[in-house]
């Protein structure tokens, strides 16, 4: 797993070096150096991945490597992304003073990013050295083992791009394009559907009222039931070049059932105007009415297209409407709204003269085509050979039951994609029939809810907790897969899988595979991929989420807290315990009443940062028992007592410790044998602490001691020649900052 992450990072950095060369200005050489270090490390990881099961400490090193790779990814990408906006700011600022300030800011930024990249590079270099000391061999260029092979297979399956698979919307797109682009009365159906073809997908419900300006329809509405493809169609239109050329600014907003008007307005305003940082900051301080007015005016002055996706009720529109020029106050510049809704009344209420586009179900051929794309994805080498006549017969029968609903069809296709034999297809067909009989009392069409619920019922048991866990995320949220995988692993949702002849597979590998399987089963959708094909973010259709939440309740998997209705006290009391069995890194900011017992904290915890926690009892007595804690930062009055004690054999793995801003701390005792591996210690702004602990002289592993913002007396005692120097004379690097008062 670590290898695959480093692999991805190396690839990503290489892509950025080529594509974003301009934006990496100033740090390019450092980034190249980082890539070299990552490549060197990569050559060791194959062997390390294999051997990690045999050795707990090696597993910890590998976790650190994974962290370092993630950090590299984050730092460089953030810098390159900032590049574009930075360049715009530079070119747009005509005034020389502003330009100078920007240049200075830029130099500081280059310096900061440069130092971050340096720091990660040297972390990676020393991690690579550590791997060597574990007897791990470099395997550059060796034939890939089966684990690596599986990673490649995973990556291949990522190439399944949803946009390529859109079926049967060409006519709809043309009609909607023409409605949005052309002035009055020109949005005739491209192919007028003959009245004898009721199943034809395109149906124009051209409203009896005609548009009331020479700018054509002001509001264009796509209307139809959930899962029919309204959002998909609207996206296609929104991204069409013709449409984009016709408007000066465009914005897309998803309107959730519980949306806050202010958030929607701000989101749209930001997209329509791309304001500078100062304006953004100003926006936050503005009153709601001012934001609404500003958005209204932008649409009156500039030709804008705003998409309101999935607007449910007239009430929601009433809340949003002050920011939109509809009805009599139509803008002369030709701004328009494209909306999708399940409720025809909303569209007619918004604008009785709107253009209504009723989306129909797919016909039999399109349904079958869509189904095939999901059931036999291109990356399956045996795809073509699989579609036997028998399978087609079974497939068509099952697809027929989906009644032309795209969401039902893709989920059914995704479900059957994992079943290669005719026998399995027949079993699914029979299961669907008996499922329908149970659910509805007699055989009939599968609606979306039935297919979705059937697809859950068919999920392999180990994937169910992952699916149910998604109920924690709010409606329509784009979920970052990197984080999701970490959460699944940390919360112990993923269990180890024993593979024949291959030993145990890393938990992150398993999590990644499960995520891919949920995508392939169309239970979640990919929103964004990286240039290397890694799935960056996923999303769940709201009908699927409804199912997910209801199953999660049924299975007692979820105690959902509605954050809008919970006050602060309740929120803390209902918060999850931190005892996730695989928790690796934890940062707590803010007060905690009771410090947990050692057995309530994951024994795997490696990094802990505490800020402002306000413990009254010495936290060291608990923390020193954590067997894998490697980095600890105790900051900002996280401990309010006067005395802190670390006992013999405490903190067996601790490498780095920061003790900072503990304003009451007077004495710190360190027994001989505590912190036997400590390499780096920082003591900062603990002004009541007179001396470093006596026991520090036994910490022979200590390489760096940094003293910051302490009184001059403290420094004088500790310096060479001072009374306390004997405690730290073995430390190669002793540095003081701001200790002169
Ligand atoms: N015409 C289509 N071709 C292929 N897939 C489609 C089509 N319409 C919808 N889908 C798929 O069905 C799912 C649900 O579609 P969506 O547009 O979200 O429906 P709605 O907005 O009407 O609820 C999406 O994942 C999408 O990929
Ligand atoms: Mg939708």
């Amino acid at each position: 797993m670590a290898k695959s992450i480093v692999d991805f990072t190396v690839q990503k950095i290489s892509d950025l070096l080529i594509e974003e060369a301009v934006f990496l200005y100033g740090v390019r050489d450092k980034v190249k150096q980082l890539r070299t270090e990552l490549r060197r490390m990569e050559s060791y990881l194959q062997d390390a991945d294999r051997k990690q099961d045999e050795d707990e400490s090696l597993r910890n090193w590998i976790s650190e490597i994974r962290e370092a790779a993630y950090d590299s990814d984050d730092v460089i990408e953030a810098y390159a992304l900032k590049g574009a906006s930075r360049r715009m700011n530079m070119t747009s600022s005509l005034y020389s003073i502003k330009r100078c300030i920007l240049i200075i800011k830029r130099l500081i930024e280059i310096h900061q990013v440069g130092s971050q990249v340096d720091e990660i590079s040297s972390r990676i270099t020393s991690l690579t050295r550590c791997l060597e000391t574990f007897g791990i061999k470099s395997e550059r260029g060796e034939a890939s083992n089966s684990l690596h092979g599986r990673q490649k297979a995973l990556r291949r399956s990522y190439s399944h791009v949803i946009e390529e698979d859109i079926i049967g919307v060409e006519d709809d797109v043309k009609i909607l394009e023409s409605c949005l682009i052309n002035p009055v009365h020109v949005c005739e159906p491209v192919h007028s559907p003959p009245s004898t073809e009721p199943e034809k997908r395109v149906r124009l419900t051209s409203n009896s009222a005609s548009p009331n300006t020479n700018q054509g329809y002001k509001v264009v509405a796509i209307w139809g039931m959930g899962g029919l493809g309204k959002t998909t169609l609207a996206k296609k239109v929104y991204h069409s070049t013709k449409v984009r050329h016709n408007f000066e600014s465009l914005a897309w907003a998803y309107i959730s059932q519980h949306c806050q008007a202010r958030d929607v307005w701000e989101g749209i305003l930001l997209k329509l105007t791309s304001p500078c940082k100062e304006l953004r900051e100003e926006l936050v301080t503005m009153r709601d009415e001012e934001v609404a007015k500003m958005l209204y005016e932008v649409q009156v002055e500039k030709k804008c297209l705003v998409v309101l996706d999935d607007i449910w009720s007239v009430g929601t529109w009433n809340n949003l409407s002050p920011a939109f020029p509809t009805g009599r106050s139509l803008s002369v510049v030709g701004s328009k709204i494209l909306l999708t809704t399940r409720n025809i009344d909303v569209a007619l209420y918004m604008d009785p003269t709107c253009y209504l586009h009723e989306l129909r179900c797919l016909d039999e051929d399109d349904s079958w085509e869509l189904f095939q794309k999901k059931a036999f994805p291109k990356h399956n080498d045996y795809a073509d050979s699989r579609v036997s006549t028998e399978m087609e017969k079974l497939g068509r029968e099952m697809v027929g039951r989906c009644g032309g609903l795209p969401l039902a069809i893709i989920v059914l296709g995704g479900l059957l994609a994992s079943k290669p034999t005719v026998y399995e297809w027949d079993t699914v067909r029979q299961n669907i029939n008996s499922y329908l009989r149970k659910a509805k009392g007699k055989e009939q069409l599968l609606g979306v809810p039935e297919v979705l619920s059937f697809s859950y019922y068919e999920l392999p048991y180990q994937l169910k907790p992952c699916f149910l866990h998604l109920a924690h995320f709010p409606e329509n949220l784009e979920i970052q897969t990197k984080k999701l995988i970490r959460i699944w692993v940390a919360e112990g949702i993923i269990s180890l899988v024993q593979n024949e002849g291959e030993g145990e597979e890393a938990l992150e590998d398993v999590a990644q595979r499960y995520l891919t399987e949920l995508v392939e089963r169309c239970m979640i959708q990919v929103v964004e991929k990286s240039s290397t094909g890694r799935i960056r973010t996923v999303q769940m259709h709201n009908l699927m989420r409804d199912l997910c939440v209801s199953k999660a309740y049924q299975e007692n998997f979820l105690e959902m807290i509605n954050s809008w209705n919970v006050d602060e006290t309740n929120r803390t009391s209902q918060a999850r315990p931190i005892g996730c069995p695989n928790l690796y890194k934890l940062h707590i900011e803010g007060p905690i009443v009771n410090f947990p017992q050692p057995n309530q904290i994951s024994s795997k915890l490696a990094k802990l940062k505490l800020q402002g926690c306000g413990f009254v009892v010495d936290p060291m007595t608990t923390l020193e028992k954590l067997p894998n804690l490697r980095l600890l930062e105790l900051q900002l009055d996280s401990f309010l007592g006067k005395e802190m004690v670390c006992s013999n054999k405490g903190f067996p793995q601790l490498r780095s410790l920061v003790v900072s801003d503990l304003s009451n701390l007077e004495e710190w005792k360190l027994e001989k044998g505590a912190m036997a591996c400590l390499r780096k210690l920082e003591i900062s702004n603990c002004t009541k602490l007179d001396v470093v602990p006596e026991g520090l002289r036994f910490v022979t592993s200590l390489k760096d001691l940094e003293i910051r913002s302490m009184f001059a007396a403290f420094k004088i005692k500790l310096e060479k020649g001072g009374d306390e120097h004997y405690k730290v004379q073995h430390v190669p690097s002793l540095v003081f900052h701001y200790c002169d008062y």
Side-chain angles (χ1 to χ4, degrees):
M1 180 65 189
K3 173 155 171 47
S4 63
I5 290 166
V6 174
D7 246 5
F8 275 139
T9 313
V10 170
Q11 187 57 49
K12 168 100 148 282
I13 295 177
S14 304
D15 290 348
L16 285 172
L17 280 166
I18 299 164
E19 292 162 17
E20 311 287 354
V22 187
F23 300 143
L24 288 174
Y25 170 78
V27 294
R28 202 176 144 74
D29 288 345
K30 287 181 194 284
V31 172
K32 269 189 176 167
Q33 174 62 26
L34 174 62
R35 183 179 59 177
T36 312
E37 289 303 331
L38 279 167
R39 277 201 177 134
R40 208 164 81 77
M41 149 138 330
E42 203 186 349
S43 68
Y44 287 87
L45 286 178
Q46 210 145 303
D47 193 27
D49 262 338
R50 236 185 339 244
K51 290 185 179 155
Q52 60 169 319
D53 296 332
E54 300 152 22
D55 192 326
E56 175 81 23
S57 350
L58 181 55
R59 266 208 293 277
N60 282 330
W61 283 112
I62 290 181
S63 303
E64 291 233 351
I65 291 168
R66 195 180 301 126
E67 277 302 305
Y70 280 146
D71 289 350
S72 323
D73 196 5
D74 293 345
V75 169
I76 296 167
E77 190 169 71
Y79 185 73
L81 279 178
K82 270 192 194 167
S85 61
R86 202 188 300 128
R87 196 168 61 163
M88 271 172 57
N89 276 341
M90 295 286 257
T91 45
S92 63
S93 62
L94 302 170
Y95 301 110
S96 56
I97 295 180
K98 193 170 175 201
R99 207 177 152 78
C100 277
I101 294 171
L102 284 175
I103 289 170
I104 292 167
K105 272 192 183 165
R106 178 76 209 283
L107 289 173
I108 295 173
E109 202 182 321
I110 289 175
H111 176 72
Q112 283 169 345
V113 174
S115 320
Q116 280 172 328
V117 174
D118 276 348
E119 192 262 327
I120 299 171
S121 287
S122 65
R123 245 164 79 199
I124 290 170
T125 316
S126 64
L127 285 168
T128 309
R129 261 190 236 121
C130 288
L131 287 181
E132 285 166 352
T133 61
F134 273 105
I136 303 296
K137 293 186 197 71
S138 162
E139 297 186 6
R140 184 163 287 288
E142 276 193 17
S144 59
N145 66 7
S146 55
L147 178 65
H148 191 53
R150 205 166 43 223
Q151 291 298 340
K152 269 165 80 182
L154 276 183
R155 237 168 295 158
R156 204 158 19 126
S157 66
Y158 293 164
S159 65
H160 143 133
V161 178
I162 288 184
E163 282 68 26
E164 284 174 7
D165 296 342
I166 299 176
I167 308 286
V169 294
E170 298 77 13
D171 291 350
D172 306 65
V173 172
K174 280 184 192 154
I175 292 169
L176 292 168
E177 275 176 351
S178 122
C179 281
L180 291 171
I181 294 169
N182 296 328
V184 213
H185 302 307
V186 285
C187 353
E188 294 307 323
V190 180
H191 304 291
S192 272
S195 53
T196 49
E197 272 187 87
E199 79 283 9
K200 185 82 182 172
R201 186 171 165 77
V202 178
R203 194 178 93 188
L204 261 178
T205 318
S206 203
N207 219 337
S208 53
S210 57
N212 53 3
T213 69
N214 59 3
Q215 291 292 347
Y217 296 97
K218 174 73 187 65
V219 174
V220 174
I222 304 172
W223 162 54
M225 69 173 98
L228 195 56
K230 299 181 296 296
T231 303
T232 309
L233 174 60
K235 264 191 200 155
K236 191 119 179 122
V237 173
Y238 182 73
H239 290 293
S240 119
T241 332
K242 280 191 201 160
V243 170
R244 297 197 86 82
H245 281 156
N246 191 56
F247 293 93
E248 281 175 76
S249 288
L250 296 95
W252 178 288
Y254 172 75
I255 313 296
S256 80
Q257 285 189 72
H258 313 287
C259 71
Q260 301 290 310
R262 167 74 183 234
D263 295 341
V264 175
W265 293 338
E266 272 188 30
I268 298 175
L269 201 52
L270 291 179
K271 283 179 201 141
L272 290 181
T273 57
S274 315
C276 61
K277 194 165 163 259
E278 288 74 21
L279 261 175
R280 272 169 195 258
E281 284 166 4
E282 202 185 317
L283 190 64
V284 179
T285 63
M286 282 161 72
R287 285 180 294 119
D288 289 356
E289 307 84 83
E290 290 171 326
V291 176
K293 187 162 176 267
M294 198 168 169
L295 177 54
Y296 187 102
E297 280 166 4
V298 169
Q299 294 170 85
V300 172
E301 285 158 17
K302 269 208 292 189
K303 191 174 182 186
C304 302
L305 175 65
V306 177
V307 181
L308 302 177
D309 182 32
D310 217 4
I311 180 158
W312 279 69
S313 66
V314 167
T316 310
W317 170 246
N318 280 337
N319 290 338
L320 294 171
S321 60
F324 295 95
T326 52
R328 277 190 216 105
S329 33
L330 284 171
S331 78
V332 276
V333 287
S335 289
K336 295 188 186 217
I337 295 175
L338 173 63
L339 70 110
T340 78
T341 185
R342 301 170 198 202
N343 182 352
I344 190 172
D345 296 337
V346 178
L348 293 173
Y349 179 81
M350 277 172 76
D351 181 359
T353 65
C354 74
Y355 180 80
L356 264 180
H357 186 84
E358 182 188 356
L359 195 55
R360 288 291 195 86
C361 299
L362 294 179
D363 64 20
E364 203 182 315
D365 288 343
D366 285 346
S367 297
W368 176 242
E369 193 185 335
L370 177 58
F371 170 81
Q372 286 194 93
K373 291 206 185 266
K374 300 294 169 184
F376 312 109
K378 283 186 206 108
H379 70 266
N380 273 344
D381 300 334
Y382 51 95
D384 292 338
S385 58
R386 282 180 63 190
V387 199
S388 63
T389 331
E390 246 175 308
M391 247 179 186
E392 178 163 349
K393 193 167 158 266
L394 290 169
R396 280 190 183 270
E397 183 187 330
M398 288 185 272
V399 173
R401 290 181 168 276
C402 296
L405 270 174
L407 182 61
I409 295 167
I410 62 169
V411 171
L412 182 70
L415 189 158
L416 287 160
S418 59
K419 306 195 184 294
T421 62
V422 175
Y423 172 75
E424 285 167 296
W425 280 44
D426 198 30
T427 312
V428 172
R429 188 187 59 93
Q430 287 170 25
N431 286 348
I432 287 179
N433 290 344
S434 72
Y435 181 84
L436 275 180
R437 271 196 297 271
K438 261 190 239 147
K440 297 190 165 179
K442 59 182 166 71
E443 273 186 46
Q444 49 180 291
L445 272 190
L446 279 165
V448 171
E450 288 77 29
V451 177
L452 301 194
S453 147
F454 181 72
S455 70
Y456 172 75
Y457 164 82
E458 279 275 317
L459 265 186
Y461 74 95
Q462 69 276 21
L463 254 73
K464 285 191 174 164
C466 297
F467 175 75
L468 295 182
H469 180 268
L470 292 165
H472 283 98
F473 295 96
E475 195 186 331
N476 206 51
L477 184 84
E478 254 186 77
I479 307 165
Q480 282 190 7
T481 55
K482 202 163 80 174
K483 280 197 185 150
L484 184 63
I485 284 175
R486 282 189 204 171
I487 297 173
W488 282 354
V489 171
E491 298 213 359
I493 287 174
I494 308 286
S495 43
L496 283 173
V497 183
Q498 197 75 32
N499 290 299
E500 251 176 67
E502 288 179 6
E504 272 180 359
E505 191 182 357
L507 288 173
E508 287 77 2
D509 259 343
V510 181
Q512 181 75 68
R513 263 195 310 115
Y514 288 179
L515 181 88
T516 309
E517 189 158 349
L518 288 175
V519 167
E520 287 183 339
R521 284 173 172 262
C522 299
M523 300 189 74
I524 45 179
Q525 270 98 41
V526 176
V527 182
E528 200 196 332
K529 285 183 183 181
S530 73
S531 49
T532 54
R534 178 166 69 98
I535 302 177
R536 263 209 192 122
T537 56
V538 290
Q539 207 172 37
M540 197 177 235
H541 189 277
N542 41 21
L543 290 178
M544 187 64 95
R545 186 175 177 275
D546 291 348
L547 168 87
C548 180
V549 172
S550 80
K551 293 284 175 205
Y553 272 120
Q554 263 172 30
E555 313 231 352
N556 270 342
F557 192 86
L558 181 71
E559 198 47 58
M560 186 106 83
I561 304 170
N562 182 351
S563 55
W564 299 112
N565 301 330
V566 177
D567 63 24
E568 281 306 316
T569 30
N570 273 339
R571 200 175 296 191
T572 1
S573 65
Q574 292 188 25
R576 289 172 151 259
I578 57 172
C580 311
N582 290 304
L583 192 65
Y584 166 77
K585 184 170 163 183
L586 178 65
H587 178 165
I588 301 178
E589 216 177 307
I592 296 184
V593 183
N594 294 318
F595 195 69
Q597 295 299 308
N599 61 358
Q600 291 177 300
I601 307 178
S602 154
S603 65
K604 297 197 174 148
L605 193 69
K607 297 183 177 187
L608 177 63
K609 190 167 169 181
L610 300 170
Q611 286 181 317
C613 296
F615 300 125
V616 188
V617 179
D618 178 5
M620 292 302 197
T621 45
T622 299
L623 299 177
E624 66 183 12
K625 296 192 180 76
L626 294 175
N628 287 304
L629 192 66
R630 305 167 56 78
L631 181 146
L632 173 64
E633 295 186 14
L634 202 59
Q635 299 181 339
L636 271 179
D637 286 333
S638 278
F639 171 49
L640 296 172
K642 292 181 182 171
E643 190 185 275
M644 221 162 60
V645 181
C646 302
S647 38
N648 177 20
K649 300 210 170 96
F651 293 106
Q653 292 287 336
L654 197 69
R655 302 288 199 278
S656 169
L657 174 65
V658 176
V659 178
S660 153
D661 299 274
L662 303 187
S663 50
N664 297 338
L665 186 69
E666 291 174 9
E667 193 174 356
W668 177 14
K669 284 188 187 148
L670 199 66
E671 289 179 7
K672 187 176 173 186
M675 302 188 182
C677 300
L678 193 71
R679 296 175 67 86
K680 191 171 185 305
L681 170 64
E682 181 186 322
I683 301 174
S684 169
N685 202 24
C686 298
T687 46
K688 288 194 182 155
L689 186 71
D690 287 335
V691 289
V692 294
E694 178 75 25
L696 215 52
R697 66 196 175 95
F698 304 113
V699 186
T700 50
S701 54
L702 193 61
K703 298 281 181 281
D704 286 297
L705 175 57
E706 201 171 312
I707 309 291
R708 282 178 174 271
S709 308
M710 297 291 280
F711 287 125
F714 188 97
K715 175 183 170 187
I716 293 165
K717 276 188 268 181
L718 209 56
E719 274 176 333
K720 219 172 184 172
D723 295 347
E724 301 280 320
H725 187 68
Y726 70 96
K727 295 179 184 171
V728 296
Q729 61 185 355
H730 59 288
V731 183
S733 164
L734 173 61
V735 186
F736 296 93
H737 292 291
Y738 313 111
C739 298
D740 299 320
Y741 300 101

